Amino acid sequence: MFGNDPVRAPIPDVPRAAELLPAERSPRARLSDAARGHRRSAAGSRRLRPALQRSVVLLRSRRDAAGAPRPGGPGALGPGPMRAFAYERPTRLDDAIALIDGHGPDARPLAGGTDLIIRLRDGSLRPRIVVDVKGVAELDAEIREEDGFLAFGALTTMTDIVVDGRVGRDYPALAEAALFVGSVQIRNRATLVGNMCNASPAADTSPALLVYGARIVATGPSGTRRVPLDEFFVRSGVTTLARGELVQAIELPRPTGRRGSVHLRRTRRRGHDLASVTLACAVTPDGVTRLAYGSVGPRPVLVLDDTGLLADPTAPAADKVRRLEMLFAGASPSPTSMRASPQYRLAMLHVLGLRAVATAIERLASGASQ
């Protein structure tokens, strides 16, 4: 779908955090480390069977000796057992809104369910009612053009986005981001709207939608309103949706001219993993560069360079590094994240920023993508 255009472009050398550089070790030290590792692996194999047996005991039951559910403790998987909840499947949007409005924070809508089902099962989320919106007549999975926008229905999945030719042609960063979401099975279920409403700072599609100027179409008891995506996120798991509101669609303005854009991410390993850093970039012929990044703060962030420096292919790399440092000054990665240290995230944010700008400039020059 993306032709022969590489997602990763060569970049000049940039300053890197000290932790990214391998420590200088003598051959003798490396040899002794290898010997110790061999001895540890042999001892570890002898302890493997008892460890597995203990894990079976720990995971076997979540009930105490009297048969009562355990809310926590060594034998529990997650914060506690799944609590019983009511399940409703309305067929009209008004009915769905009434259910969610009537129960307030105790209600959760269900579309793809790739995040909700997991949280219900591990007990980290305990709503009193789940409202399945897949049967609501006014909600659909269509990707349609209307009034100068490309609109994605509330039930549009990541797979729908990946295979849509208009998205690949005019919004390649979004198509690339959707292709990174989970596995094939997850992409067949996960919805774009759900990805936004979940408000995870690590959501892959958020940066791409931000650089393309997306807006949310929210419908609730007071009617329908449109909210720029940059004003939709508050912090992790929190949006500006009012009580009883449902997101009916996401709209992207149709491109009015050429642009080059790309989505990049950095993870701990290849395969299905949340991003340590995710970033999208779009460059236009007038020299404006839009960058959006996630996983390095409580919410995805959009920044703009209208000086023309980043979009200039002849500008010195050192000048671009300094400009990115200014634009990314607000990045504040969590110090407690298990996926990567703050220093690593910040270093990778700058590396991906330079790489994305270079790729977007190449795509703009080649005219291969919007």
Side-chain angles (χ1 to χ4, degrees), residues 158-215:
M158 298 300 171
T159 297
D160 294 331
I161 293 169
V162 170
V163 301
D164 191 282
R166 294 165 298 180
V167 179
R169 181 190 68 229
D170 298 334
Y171 310 94
L174 177 58
E176 291 163 349
L179 193 58
F180 276 124
V181 175
S183 62
V184 173
Q185 296 93 328
I186 294 296
R187 291 194 293 272
N188 286 343
R189 296 287 301 177
T191 64
L192 182 65
V193 165
N195 203 217
M196 295 304 98
C197 292
N198 193 38
S200 168
D204 282 301
T205 57
S206 298
L209 290 173
L210 284 169
V211 299
Y212 290 137
R215 66 185 188 184

Side-chain angles (χ1 to χ4, degrees), residues 16-297:
R16 292 179 291 177
E19 71 175 64
L20 299 180
L21 302 176
E24 294 183 359
R25 307 289 298 279
S26 68
R28 182 181 298 275
R30 289 195 294 270
L31 181 61
S32 61
D33 285 349
R36 284 195 297 270
H38 176 73
R39 290 194 294 270
R40 284 196 299 269
S41 64
S45 63
R46 290 193 294 270
R47 293 192 298 268
L48 179 60
R49 184 176 297 276
L52 288 175
Q53 291 172 346
R54 286 195 299 272
S55 68
V56 171
V57 172
L58 288 175
L59 300 178
R60 183 175 296 157
S61 175
R62 296 180 63 179
R63 295 180 177 272
D64 59 21
R70 297 180 181 178
L77 298 178
M82 182 170 67
R83 185 174 70 180
F85 54 83
Y87 173 85
E88 294 287 346
R89 187 179 170 87
T91 57
R92 297 174 61 249
L93 183 59
D94 289 345
D95 294 337
I97 290 172
L99 285 167
I100 293 174
D101 183 40
H103 291 84
D106 288 328
R108 284 293 186 274
L110 168 65
T114 54
D115 180 74
L116 177 63
I117 298 300
I118 293 173
R119 297 187 64 190
L120 289 175
R121 292 182 64 181
D122 69 17
S124 61
L125 186 63
R126 299 186 175 189
R128 296 190 180 278
I129 182 172
V130 170
V131 182
D132 190 335
V133 299
K134 292 191 292 294
V136 174
E138 295 91 335
L139 304 181
D140 57 55
E142 292 184 21
I143 302 176
R144 55 187 174 274
E145 300 181 46
E146 51 185 30
D147 301 327
F149 288 84
L150 189 66
F152 300 82
L155 305 180
T156 301
T157 67
M158 298 300 171
T159 297
D160 294 331
I161 293 169
V162 170
V163 301
D164 191 282
R166 294 165 298 180
V167 179
R169 181 190 68 229
D170 298 334
Y171 310 94
L174 177 58
E176 291 163 349
L179 193 58
F180 276 124
V181 175
S183 62
V184 173
Q185 296 93 328
I186 294 296
R187 291 194 293 272
N188 286 343
R189 296 287 301 177
T191 64
L192 182 65
V193 165
N195 203 217
M196 295 304 98
C197 292
N198 193 38
S200 168
D204 282 301
T205 57
S206 298
L209 290 173
L210 284 169
V211 299
Y212 290 137
R215 66 185 188 184
I216 297 291
V217 182
T219 302
S222 301
T224 299
R225 64 190 180 107
R226 285 170 167 79
V227 184
L229 185 61
D230 195 32
E231 300 174 10
F232 181 71
F233 301 118
V234 178
R235 61 181 182 276
S236 179
V238 180
T239 69
T240 57
L241 279 179
R243 177 168 176 152
E245 282 189 324
L246 284 171
V247 175
Q248 196 167 357
I250 294 176
E251 296 177 336
L252 288 178
R254 300 294 290 156
T256 57
R258 294 187 306 112
R259 68 183 169 204
S261 57
V262 67
H263 168 270
L264 298 175
R265 76 198 299 249
R266 184 70 178 175
T267 60
R268 294 173 298 178
R269 59 183 183 269
R270 293 180 182 272
H272 314 144
D273 195 8
L274 291 175
S276 299
V277 180
T278 180
L279 180 142
C281 174
V283 176
T284 51
D286 59 0
V288 175
T289 301
R290 295 167 65 89
L291 290 151
Y293 57 87
S295 290
V296 282

